[in-house]
Amino acid sequence: MKVPNILKKTVPVAVGLVVLGYLTLYFVINQTPQWIPENLTRLARQADLLENPEAKRCFECHKEIYAAWKKSRHAIAWVSETYIEDSENRSKEKCLPCHIPRQVKNGEKPQPRLDHRDDGIYCVPCHVIDGKMHGPYDLFSPPHPTQKNLQYRESKFCGSCHEKTFEEWKIAGVEDTCQSCHMARTESRLVQKPVLSWLHSKKQVGDHSFPHGEITQEDLAVTGEISGKEFIVTLLNQKIPHRVPTADNGDPRLYLYVRFLDDSGQEVDRFKEILAPQQDTALLYGKEARFQYPLTAPVRKVEISLQYKPAWSKDKSEWRQLSYPVTGDSG
Amino acid sequence: MRTSLINSLLFTLMLFLIPLQLQAKDMVVKAPPESLGKYYPPESKEPKWIQQMHKMSGNLGGVFVNLREKDWDNLDKNADQFVESYKEASEMVPEWEEYFDLKAAKEFAAAAKTHDGEKIGKAVGAVGKTCGKCHADNSISVWTRFHWPSFHKIKITDPIEEKELDFGKYMGLLSGTFKGVTVNFKEGQYDRSQKALRAFKSRFMELKSTCSKCHTTDDVKLFYVGENVAQAFDGLQKELTAEKPNPGNFWKNVGILGKQGCKNCHLTHRSYAMIQERWEEK
């Protein structure tokens, strides 16, 4: 097929113009959004976004963040079985502020809200302040006005509700914030809806599933040793800058089981420790917890097991098992 | 907001000055009427009954604040609004309709509008009495029903057997373990007493996990499960491992546990649990 001469000339020019236009727009939107006239942006505003919409409404653009949040405990703060049971069918007054906050402000205990309670702790109470969408970035966002606010990267923000954990973190005196571990950032887009998703550069986006974190062997050192007529277990939280486990009102626990066995593997004695924030026994950052047990005659082996129970479950899971032979005449 | 708070305070003070004529000397703590439930969580999103009380007492107290300030416009407004909010309240709980005296409320408003302090003071007595009578009859019931969480819905996992028990059952278990410590001591069986003490301490300390089911601050744990009690446990442990246990020290520490650990917590918490239990029976 023969391409007419006229097309041969205009197509590359048109393509060139489109590419140039796109690049210019991309540059302006991401680098100098202040060049875009206010009036123009205002035309694209969707007023309902600032009138406490449901989380689903935010999902229309912020698909990835929504999907992450949906996996979080925050998303089920009002509907989880544990919550309903512990709050006496949601009637305990003390639970309401943090399970259905109206607005989370840096370090202030929120008030309970009246609408969209099933969404629990969701986008609106954390991000809408005084008619603007607050977050860690200054950016061009036609549907709603935005406001850069670096409080979103401070532990104090989380401390509005996680008050006790926040105090523990302050005592730990480390640089890492709550967000460093529980909202780790990855390079991604804030929006997954064209055309904005084509026009916005990638950013560092925090993980809105607020991962709980797995305790590793490096985080928590466990040692057992025989000392004279005693067996001593030491636990040291060396990496996690708050108590392990930690909670304000929930009851997560680490169980330490120590079993003394004889030659034939029969149990001679057993001990148990409950490491729980509600009992003031959870492991403080950088502080060794020492447990001493009397070693009696026929003991040939000591088995240690550490099991973890999260606040929202009645089931424990094995975290670590260790075993120590008892030789010579120490027993 | 501030003035309405001051008004409420003023008025609450005033209520104490109105002599109450209680007919009977016995006090009956009846469960509050069913229909009141509509105005409290979980049925209502907000504590609507309390909100109505604040509205009413704000208007009533407002009349007296306005009187002192000679702010006649607002005084008239508060007087009218009082009649309105009082009437609204009287329609909320049918079972309580009788407590209200709309005529007295209207007469009070009429007196208020004369702006004559003496007349107002006289007229408030009749309507104030209706507030006082209902409060005297029903406050304890309402607090017990709507502000006291239920111990009967709390489950405790026994740290020894790792079985989940109702709060009351757990108390029975705790009390039995405590007796294991004291009875064995009395019999001179110190080894057994010591073994029981180990279980008793861990069962007792497990109670610390229950406070946060109703309280938000850790400060409350200074009581019943705090330092004094921990020291008493240490004291018992010391006697039981001593060459020759000293009964004086032993019983002193048992006394501290029984008083500061068990009894004091019962005195603050159990009355309400007992009332709730009665209501749950039927």
Side-chain angles (χ1 to χ4, degrees):
Chain A
M1 201 176 95
K2 220 176 154 205
V3 183
N5 256 351
I6 178 97
L7 276 190
K8 259 193 196 155
K9 276 197 186 140
T10 51
V11 167
V13 171
V15 170
L17 280 176
V18 167
V19 170
L20 190 68
Y22 174 74
L23 289 177
T24 311
L25 204 56
Y26 191 88
F27 177 84
V28 169
I29 284 177
N30 290 296
Q31 301 298 325
T32 57
Q34 67 275 15
W35 289 0
I36 303 167
E38 264 297 311
N39 294 343
L40 199 70
T41 330
R42 228 176 264 141
L43 287 178
R45 291 271 189 262
Q46 299 172 22
D48 73 301
L49 289 177
L50 298 172
E51 288 158 6
N52 302 343
E54 289 178 273
K56 272 198 298 232
R57 180 75 173 94
C58 311
F59 166 75
E60 290 171 24
C61 292
H62 303 284
K63 293 195 163 61
E64 283 181 6
I65 291 179
Y66 177 91
W69 166 78
K70 202 68 187 156
K71 285 189 288 191
S72 72
R73 302 291 314 169
H74 282 170
I76 54 171
W78 187 248
V79 294
S80 91
E81 247 171 66
T82 315
Y83 173 66
I84 294 173
E85 193 182 314
D86 273 358
S87 65
E88 268 183 44
N89 191 20
R90 301 159 168 159
S91 69
K92 280 188 196 164
E93 295 164 53
K94 72 153 198 154
C95 309
L96 305 177
C98 287
H99 281 257
I100 39 166
R102 190 162 64 206
Q103 183 167 93
V104 180
K105 283 205 189 120
N106 221 17
E108 271 175 49
K109 183 82 147 247
Q111 291 290 317
R113 71 170 185 277
L114 299 177
D115 55 3
H116 311 319
R117 290 183 158 193
D118 284 355
D119 278 341
I121 302 140
Y122 77 112
C123 335
V124 167
C126 289
H127 288 285
V128 180
I129 303 176
D130 300 333
K132 280 187 176 168
M133 214 56 81
H134 286 232
Y137 292 109
D138 217 353
L139 33 76
F140 170 70
S141 158
H144 52 68
T146 58
Q147 168 80 52
K148 180 171 169 168
N149 181 340
L150 288 175
Q151 291 179 345
Y152 288 82
R153 293 193 171 153
E154 294 173 13
S155 291
K156 196 173 168 197
F157 189 84
C158 316
S160 308
C161 282
H162 298 278
E163 294 172 84
K164 292 177 194 166
T165 306
F166 177 55
E167 289 304 318
E168 293 161 14
W169 171 84
K170 277 205 291 202
I171 292 165
V174 300
E175 228 164 74
D176 276 343
T177 59
C178 310
Q179 292 88 333
S180 312
C181 300
H182 298 286
M183 286 193 84
R185 282 182 252 158
T186 47
E187 196 163 75
S188 171
R189 290 204 158 77
L190 292 173
V191 168
Q192 284 73 38
K193 186 185 176 188
V195 282
L196 276 181
S197 53
W198 299 335
L199 289 170
H200 269 150
S201 60
K202 286 195 171 174
K203 305 226 157 30
Q204 292 291 316
V205 180
D207 182 348
H208 282 68
S209 72
F210 309 98
H212 169 259
E214 294 291 323
I215 312 168
T216 66
Q217 297 198 6
E218 244 174 71
D219 294 329
L220 179 55
V222 187
T223 46
E225 70 184 305
I226 297 156
S227 163
K229 297 247 177 265
E230 285 185 328
F231 187 79
I232 299 170
V233 180
T234 40
L235 302 177
L236 176 61
N237 164 9
Q238 33 190 25
K239 284 274 168 72
I240 303 175
H242 51 67
R243 278 184 187 256
V244 171
T246 182
D248 269 59
N249 296 295
D251 192 8
R253 293 160 175 223
L254 261 178
Y255 285 84
L256 167 68
Y257 296 95
V258 182
R259 294 174 70 216
F260 289 1
L261 309 175
D262 67 11
D263 260 340
S264 59
Q266 287 285 326
E267 188 176 292
V268 178
D269 210 346
R270 68 183 319 174
F271 299 88
K272 178 193 309 189
E273 309 295 337
I274 296 174
L275 308 165
Q278 301 305 347
Q279 298 187 32
D280 306 317
T281 50
L283 303 168
L284 287 161
Y285 173 68
K287 197 160 171 232
E288 216 171 59
R290 241 170 102 86
F291 304 99
Q292 288 165 275
Y293 308 105
L295 263 182
T296 40
V299 177
R300 281 288 161 264
K301 194 169 142 193
V302 182
E303 280 184 0
I304 297 179
S305 154
L306 271 158
Q307 302 185 14
Y308 177 67
K309 183 201 86 72
W312 59 86
S313 167
K314 293 194 167 142
D315 301 324
K316 300 194 279 277
S317 57
E318 189 76 44
W319 178 70
R320 240 192 126 182
Q321 261 178 327
L322 294 159
S323 135
Y324 298 86
V326 179
T327 48
D329 55 8
S330 51
Chain B
M1 191 62 222
R2 242 183 94 85
T3 48
S4 90
L5 184 71
I6 293 169
N7 289 352
S8 307
L9 288 177
L10 260 176
F11 187 69
T12 313
L13 258 177
M14 247 169 47
L15 282 187
F16 284 108
L17 303 177
I18 299 169
L20 289 177
Q21 298 163 321
L22 289 178
Q23 267 86 30
K25 293 231 167 82
D26 301 323
M27 177 148 194
V28 179
V29 187
K30 275 196 306 217
E34 285 291 321
S35 62
L36 188 63
K38 283 204 293 287
Y39 307 113
Y40 285 91
E43 276 188 69
S44 161
K45 285 182 177 171
E46 296 171 286
K48 291 231 169 79
W49 179 263
I50 298 184
Q51 288 171 347
Q52 187 66 28
M53 287 293 128
H54 285 174
K55 195 165 152 193
M56 216 163 53
S57 87
N59 295 144
L60 188 53
V63 167
F64 291 90
V65 174
N66 299 149
L67 175 67
R68 244 194 5 235
E69 294 165 352
K70 299 192 169 32
D71 179 355
W72 310 129
D73 279 356
N74 278 320
L75 188 151
D76 292 354
K77 237 184 257 164
N78 268 319
D80 286 338
Q81 281 170 6
F82 172 70
V83 176
E84 217 170 284
S85 54
Y86 188 82
K87 184 160 177 291
E88 277 164 14
S90 75
E91 288 161 359
M92 287 170 80
V93 179
E95 296 92 325
W96 278 352
E97 210 189 326
E98 301 267 290
Y99 279 111
F100 293 87
D101 184 346
L102 293 180
K103 194 168 146 262
K106 279 182 196 143
E107 280 166 8
F108 167 72
K113 287 179 180 172
T114 64
H115 305 165
D116 175 342
E118 208 168 305
K119 280 193 186 136
I120 301 176
K122 247 187 219 147
V124 76
V127 74
K129 226 187 267 173
T130 69
C131 316
K133 171 94 170 75
C134 184
H135 291 161
D137 286 357
N138 298 299
S139 295
I140 295 180
S141 312
V142 171
W143 294 342
T144 308
R145 169 75 179 75
F146 295 107
H147 300 295
W148 267 86
S150 168
F151 278 94
H152 310 124
K153 293 190 180 125
I154 292 178
K155 297 225 176 351
I156 304 184
T157 304
D158 173 27
I160 308 294
E161 305 288 337
E162 300 199 5
K163 268 211 259 336
E164 210 178 52
L165 294 175
D166 287 340
F167 196 94
K169 284 249 166 60
Y170 189 81
M171 279 292 144
L173 180 67
L174 183 71
S175 163
T177 323
F178 197 7
K179 289 211 180 80
V181 179
T182 53
V183 169
N184 280 308
F185 186 87
K186 231 184 269 171
E187 295 165 354
Q189 313 213 51
Y190 302 135
D191 265 9
R192 285 195 188 166
S193 179
Q194 201 192 337
K195 204 151 197 180
L197 182 68
R198 204 161 100 188
F200 177 51
K201 186 179 177 190
S202 87
R203 284 188 167 134
F204 187 83
M205 289 309 175
E206 180 62 40
L207 289 177
K208 279 184 153 183
S209 313
T210 64
C211 317
S212 73
K213 306 232 180 253
C214 302
H215 294 281
T216 44
T217 62
D218 272 343
D219 296 354
V220 292
K221 292 184 198 168
L222 296 171
F223 297 86
Y224 326 136
V225 292
E227 203 45 48
N228 294 348
V229 163
Q231 274 169 15
F233 272 113
D234 290 346
L236 286 178
Q237 174 70 21
K238 205 172 128 222
E239 283 321 315
L240 286 171
T241 45
E243 204 68 30
K244 203 164 164 283
N246 174 334
N249 286 343
F250 179 86
W251 292 110
K252 191 189 84 200
N253 284 310
V254 164
I256 293 173
L257 279 176
K259 178 77 175 69
Q260 307 197 19
C262 318
K263 188 71 181 174
N264 286 357
C265 188
H266 288 171
L267 288 174
T268 24
H269 295 87
R270 252 185 105 177
S271 330
Y272 299 91
M274 281 174 175
I275 299 172
Q276 289 174 343
E277 190 174 16
R278 255 323 156 78
W279 291 345
E280 283 159 18
E281 268 169 19
K282 50 159 189 171

